[in-house]
Amino acid sequence: MPPLRPRTLPSGFIPPCLPTKAPRPPAGAVWLHEIKHDGFRVIARKDSARVRLYSRPGNDLTRQFPLIAEALARLRSRSCILDGEAVACDEKTSIACFDRLRHHRVGDRVFLYAFDLIEIGGDDLRREPLEVRKATLASVLARAGPGIRFNEHLDYDDGAAVFQHACKMGLEGIVSKRNDDTILTLTGTG
């Protein structure tokens, strides 16, 4: 059998920073906590009129999620790269439901919970503190269409309390991020 050639990633694709599972939620003032939504990780890229949505390994998802692609195209910035989670919510609970995505029953109702801004107007923001990227992202998405929502964070010292509440609500879990760095920590499932 011939050796496998490494897969060529699409031009413009930036692999996402992946979380690390942790035995317990972190605590302290340097941590921000976000809801972990049950969906598909998406890197959303806009270059002028060209819009592309990529999966975690770099597959093109643009046609599968038209609402996200349309909202991305309408953003005011000429170029940007967003990191987020494509989700479809259960109509009764309003909680992200992966089965709805997996069975392709809701393509026109799938939206992106954007939680990070990688690039804006040609400027690479990956070396900026997370707080700066999130504040800029909130500004960029202030007038976004229904296909993209800002994934709020909790600036709360007690990660265990945030995780406990997420579990009580039936959510998948939380993601905790250092507010002065790009290190991510996944803290379990609900």
Side-chain angles (χ1 to χ4, degrees):
M1 177 180 261
L4 294 175
R5 288 188 300 170
R7 182 170 166 231
T8 303
L9 294 172
S11 174
F13 172 71
I14 294 176
C17 182
L18 300 176
T20 303
K21 193 167 182 109
R24 63 191 140 320
V30 299
W31 294 97
L32 302 177
H33 309 284
E34 300 171 349
I35 298 300
K36 181 175 184 330
H37 298 284
D38 198 5
F40 286 136
R41 184 76 174 267
V42 170
I43 299 294
R45 184 178 191 113
K46 176 184 178 184
D47 286 313
S48 297
R50 183 176 183 215
V51 169
R52 288 288 179 267
L53 307 177
Y54 297 108
S55 68
R56 187 169 61 185
N59 300 320
D60 191 337
L61 300 174
T62 309
R63 293 201 294 160
Q64 282 136 309
F65 303 133
L67 190 62
I68 298 171
E70 291 166 13
L72 184 62
R74 288 191 305 265
L75 290 179
R76 288 182 155 187
S77 55
R78 185 183 57 75
S79 70
C80 63
I81 302 174
L82 311 178
D83 191 358
E85 194 84 4
V87 301
C89 291
D90 181 277
E91 293 171 2
K92 293 178 186 167
T93 65
S94 297
I95 294 175
C97 178
F98 186 75
D99 283 340
R100 294 176 65 90
L101 280 175
R102 185 175 52 187
H103 299 298
H104 305 287
R105 294 186 294 219
V106 291
D108 62 335
R109 289 181 290 182
V110 175
F111 64 91
L112 184 74
Y113 266 124
F115 48 75
D116 204 353
L117 182 62
I118 298 170
E119 181 261 324
I120 185 81
D123 294 327
D124 186 341
L125 301 180
R126 289 177 285 182
R127 296 199 187 277
E128 295 294 326
L130 179 62
E131 290 177 316
V132 171
R133 296 192 316 266
K134 287 190 75 74
T136 307
L137 176 62
S139 176
V140 167
L141 299 180
R143 293 191 178 115
I148 303 175
R149 298 178 188 173
F150 178 65
N151 194 37
E152 299 281 345
H153 65 274
L154 300 165
D155 191 3
Y156 190 66
D157 290 355
D158 188 357
V162 174
F163 180 64
Q164 194 172 38
H165 285 297
C167 291
K168 283 181 185 175
M169 293 174 64
L171 301 170
E172 187 179 5
I174 64 172
V175 176
S176 299
K177 302 176 182 181
R178 290 181 59 93
N179 63 16
D180 61 348
D181 201 20
T182 58
I183 298 170
L184 308 180
T185 304
L186 174 65
T187 58
T189 58

